[in-house]
Amino acid sequence: MERLQKVIAQAGITSRRKAETLITEGKVKVNGQVVRELGVKVNAKNDQIEVEGVPIDREEPVYFLMYKPQGVISSVKDEKGRKVVTDFINIEQRVFPIGRLDYDTSGLILLTNDGEFANQLMHPKFKIDKVYVAKVRGIPTREELKRLQNGVVLEDGKTAPARVKLISMDKKKQTAIVQLTIHEGRNRQVRRMFEAIGHPVMKLKREQYSFLNIRTMNPGDVRPLKPIEVKHLRELAVTKPS
């Protein structure tokens, strides 16, 4: 038996907090009866649960790590008919990506059908590191890299402090490879950070998400997360508040 709001969140419909609001507003039914009290426990497999008149799916939770290729949309569908991340997973459950990677950005992305798990990882108060490797135009100076490290001012505010490492440079081609570790997830943030210091990104890959990496994978590869990895991610999301 589990709390009703947790079962709703795990179905991927909404966050647990929003589920609590829906319950108190009388928009949730269990076995045909409206439930307004928080804390009611249900059997996710046997009880019939409806949210705003729609029965929820009670799928077994699944968790995947994917090496997203460049030119793939981080979504479950695309109006323009372009490839999306879920095209690479052939399972019965309806999964969705946790967060986003730009169309032109490759690298590690997680997918699940567990809405509560996804909301935990994406919550801005938890500092989960994401490691990017960027090929940029020009060779950033030490002062410019320091700006990235200290945070740069973008149109939506100053970025949080980051870890920065100059991996290599090509003086002839005037390009550089820079590793950037951040824990925020703003739209196109890494690209905008490099643009802010005058070194636009030519190629970008997310190599690591917390302790997970794609070193042994190729673009398009997908693997299930191990139970211990899911457990560790849950612990990180609970124990690393900012």
Side-chain angles (χ1 to χ4, degrees), residues 71-133:
V72 172
I73 303 290
S74 297
S75 182
V76 296
K77 60 182 178 180
D78 179 61
E79 294 176 355
K80 298 178 181 177
R82 294 171 293 184
K83 276 207 165 196
V84 296
V85 288
T86 50
D87 290 337
F88 294 80
I89 302 180
N90 185 22
I91 57 171
E92 291 182 3
Q93 293 93 331
R94 295 176 298 175
V95 296
F96 53 87
I98 300 176
R100 304 182 76 85
L101 279 182
D102 297 335
Y103 179 77
D104 293 324
T105 300
S106 65
L108 195 159
I109 191 165
L110 301 177
L111 299 101
T112 186
N113 60 349
D114 186 338
E116 184 184 28
F117 178 77
N119 286 319
Q120 281 181 326
L121 292 183
M122 289 190 293
H123 199 291
K125 77 176 181 178
F126 298 118
K127 296 181 177 180
I128 295 179
D129 285 342
K130 306 168 192 75
V131 181
Y132 294 82
V133 173

Side-chain angles (χ1 to χ4, degrees), residues 19-27 35-38:
E20 291 174 349
T21 301
L22 291 170
I23 292 169
T24 57
E25 290 177 349
K27 295 180 180 178
V35 174
R36 294 178 182 269
E37 295 179 16
L38 298 178

Side-chain angles (χ1 to χ4, degrees), residues 117 120-121 126 228-240:
F117 178 77
Q120 281 181 326
L121 292 183
F126 298 118
I228 189 66
E229 293 172 330
V230 176
K231 182 174 182 286
H232 194 182
L233 285 171
R234 286 190 191 281
E235 290 170 349
L236 284 174
V238 171
T239 61
K240 287 190 68 177

Side-chain angles (χ1 to χ4, degrees), residues 17-59:
R17 183 171 295 180
K18 176 64 176 174
E20 291 174 349
T21 301
L22 291 170
I23 292 169
T24 57
E25 290 177 349
K27 295 180 180 178
V28 177
K29 287 183 179 181
V30 178
N31 299 325
Q33 300 296 315
V34 174
V35 174
R36 294 178 182 269
E37 295 179 16
L38 298 178
V40 170
K41 292 195 174 182
V42 296
N43 185 314
K45 290 184 178 180
N46 299 326
D47 288 324
Q48 300 295 317
I49 302 165
E50 295 180 21
V51 177
E52 296 184 307
V54 180
I56 69 169
D57 291 325
R58 294 180 293 281
E59 298 177 329

Side-chain angles (χ1 to χ4, degrees), residues 134-141 166-178 194 198-203:
K135 180 179 182 180
V136 301
R137 295 190 191 280
I139 299 172
T141 64
L166 179 63
I167 295 176
S168 65
M169 64 181 83
D170 187 327
K171 292 184 177 179
K172 187 176 181 181
K173 294 183 178 178
Q174 279 296 293
T175 60
I177 306 293
V178 183
F194 279 106
H199 295 280
V201 169
M202 301 169 67
K203 196 172 183 181

